[in-house]
Amino acid sequence: MTAPAQGRPRGGGGAPPRSADVRKRDALELLGAARHAWVASGGGDGPHLIPLACVWDGTRVALSTRAGSRTVRNLRRLGRVRLAFGSAVDVVLLDGEVAITAPGDVPAATRDALAALPLDPERVPGCVYLFVTPRRVQAWRHLGEMADRVIMTDGRWVV
């Protein structure tokens, strides 16, 4: 195994670390394009990880699932969640507060954006919306970006 060249980050093919501004822009672009997120929650049964369809409205992530699911039970108890987007070489982790909302409680203006979800609680009985408001966001592509990976903290962009 060969040591990385001095001054070059390991991983990422030697690419220089992106600035925080660029990582924020790239993270927002990824959130806007993402149609699925890994949803991590925990409860009495231990950790739980499941992919769910999602849409980003510019300020929060909306997902939908069955009201009686293990995910919803965990989120009702905890009120917070971790979402993962991207791939192992373009990671965005979003920790946030979750609001579980019945279809009838969603404002009409928001419903159009939610129609893109394949499991639409408006059409599928027994489903709810999960609205996740980001509190902390991390983004990185390689080890050279790990030290400065936090781009949002306490609900505020650090850039």
Side-chain angles (χ1 to χ4, degrees), residues 25 49 67 107-108 145:
R25 184 198 67 213
L49 182 67
E145 293 184 354

Short mmCIF file of all heavy atoms in Angstrom, two decimals, residues 25 49 67 107-108 145:
data_model
loop_
_atom_site.label_atom_id
_atom_site.label_comp_id
_atom_site.label_asym_id
_atom_site.label_seq_id
_atom_site.Cartn_x
_atom_site.Cartn_y
_atom_site.Cartn_z
N ARG A 25 -23.79 24.47 -1.16
CA ARG A 25 -24.46 24.50 -2.47
C ARG A 25 -24.69 23.09 -2.99
O ARG A 25 -25.78 22.74 -3.44
CB ARG A 25 -23.64 25.31 -3.47
CG ARG A 25 -24.34 25.45 -4.82
CD ARG A 25 -23.41 25.84 -5.93
NE ARG A 25 -22.49 24.72 -6.17
CZ ARG A 25 -21.23 24.86 -6.55
NH1 ARG A 25 -20.70 26.03 -6.74
NH2 ARG A 25 -20.48 23.80 -6.75
N LEU A 49 -33.34 1.28 10.48
CA LEU A 49 -32.92 2.01 9.28
C LEU A 49 -33.76 1.53 8.11
O LEU A 49 -33.85 0.32 7.86
CB LEU A 49 -31.43 1.74 9.01
CG LEU A 49 -30.80 2.44 7.81
CD1 LEU A 49 -30.75 3.95 8.04
CD2 LEU A 49 -29.39 1.90 7.59
N ALA A 67 -48.85 4.92 9.20
CA ALA A 67 -48.95 5.48 10.55
C ALA A 67 -48.54 4.48 11.62
O ALA A 67 -48.02 4.87 12.66
CB ALA A 67 -50.37 5.98 10.80
N PRO A 107 -51.36 22.05 4.79
CA PRO A 107 -51.91 23.18 4.02
C PRO A 107 -52.00 22.84 2.53
O PRO A 107 -51.15 22.14 1.98
CB PRO A 107 -50.91 24.31 4.25
CG PRO A 107 -50.11 23.90 5.45
CD PRO A 107 -50.15 22.41 5.51
N ALA A 108 -53.01 23.34 1.88
CA ALA A 108 -53.24 23.06 0.46
C ALA A 108 -52.04 23.44 -0.39
O ALA A 108 -51.70 22.73 -1.34
CB ALA A 108 -54.49 23.79 -0.02
N GLU A 145 -12.25 16.42 3.71
CA GLU A 145 -13.37 17.30 4.09
C GLU A 145 -13.96 16.93 5.44
O GLU A 145 -14.87 17.61 5.91
CB GLU A 145 -14.46 17.23 3.02
CG GLU A 145 -14.03 17.82 1.70
CD GLU A 145 -15.13 17.85 0.66
OE1 GLU A 145 -16.24 17.32 0.88
OE2 GLU A 145 -14.87 18.42 -0.41
#
